[in-house]
Amino acid sequence: MLSLHFVGNNYRMLIFPVIILSIAGLLSSCDSKVVFEKNISLPDNHWEEGNIVHLETSIEDTATPHNIYINVRNAGGYQFRNLFVFFTTTTPKGEMERDTIELILADERGKWLGEGLGDIWDNRILFKKNFHFPQAGIYKFDLQQAMRVPILPQIMDAGVRIEKAN
């Protein structure tokens, strides 16, 4: 009887770390597709037209398709339902491509899209799907607000996420 009790306690002592490690493994595997993600906080939650968000990362895998997202965090007091941005990509060879993109942050009724907590909304908006980077090396990404408003209040963060496509 004493040995059964000892085995039972050992079993309980072993099962707890196994459960914790399993949960940690599941949580860490959720973002295993992420190649790069960085968001920059904007001063005083205002995005000035001259404030360009500069990001860069090394891309080595040119064979795998990638999805590129633009991340935006806005407060509920943001006065528009959309946000136009200039998105400039510079390749390792110095080639530049500039896109003008309309990001939809709220539906026609004014209901905020994205993930919200209180008065803050996080949006991850697909920019390019199944994109193949043409060469390996350092890529630079510049985001600039293009709303024709010199100072755009209630935009808190802007950034880029790159993940391997399924």
Side-chain angles (χ1 to χ4, degrees):
M1 187 74 115
L2 181 60
S3 63
L4 276 176
H5 182 68
F6 180 72
V7 169
N9 282 342
N10 277 348
Y11 176 75
R12 282 188 210 123
M13 291 176 70
L14 288 174
I15 195 72
F16 182 71
V18 169
I19 290 171
I20 295 298
L21 289 173
S22 297
I23 291 171
L26 285 173
L27 291 176
S28 67
S29 69
C30 292
D31 271 356
S32 64
K33 299 185 313 182
V34 176
V35 174
F36 171 77
E37 183 166 25
K38 186 167 184 181
N39 300 301
I40 303 294
S41 294
L42 299 166
D44 299 320
N45 300 329
H46 289 81
W47 199 353
E48 296 183 25
E49 63 185 348
N51 184 2
I52 300 172
V53 174
H54 301 285
L55 305 163
E56 68 178 55
T57 188
S58 177
I59 301 292
E60 300 305 321
D61 186 354
T62 59
T64 303
H66 293 82
N67 294 331
I68 302 174
Y69 297 87
I70 298 173
N71 295 337
V72 174
R73 176 177 287 160
N74 66 285
Y78 180 64
Q79 59 189 333
F80 304 105
R81 66 176 285 268
N82 64 348
L83 170 64
F84 281 94
V85 296
F86 297 129
F87 189 97
T88 305
T89 303
T90 306
T91 69
K93 290 183 180 177
E95 299 161 334
M96 295 176 71
E97 180 180 304
R98 185 174 188 184
D99 295 284
T100 303
I101 306 156
E102 180 183 19
L103 307 174
I104 304 297
L105 305 179
D107 66 16
E108 295 81 14
R109 295 181 184 147
K111 181 180 181 281
W112 294 112
L113 306 174
E115 298 292 321
L117 180 61
D119 193 35
I120 298 173
W121 298 91
D122 291 311
N123 295 276
R124 179 179 301 144
I125 300 165
L126 183 62
F127 168 50
K128 290 189 178 185
K129 185 175 183 173
N130 294 321
F131 177 77
H132 287 271
F133 287 94
Q135 62 226 206
I138 302 294
Y139 281 80
K140 297 177 183 176
F141 305 102
D142 291 338
L143 283 167
Q144 182 178 12
Q145 70 98 339
M147 290 293 287
R148 298 185 183 152
V149 177
I151 299 174
L152 195 57
Q154 305 295 316
I155 300 293
M156 306 167 82
D157 301 297
V160 172
R161 176 183 173 106
I162 301 170
E163 60 184 42
K164 293 178 183 178
N166 289 337

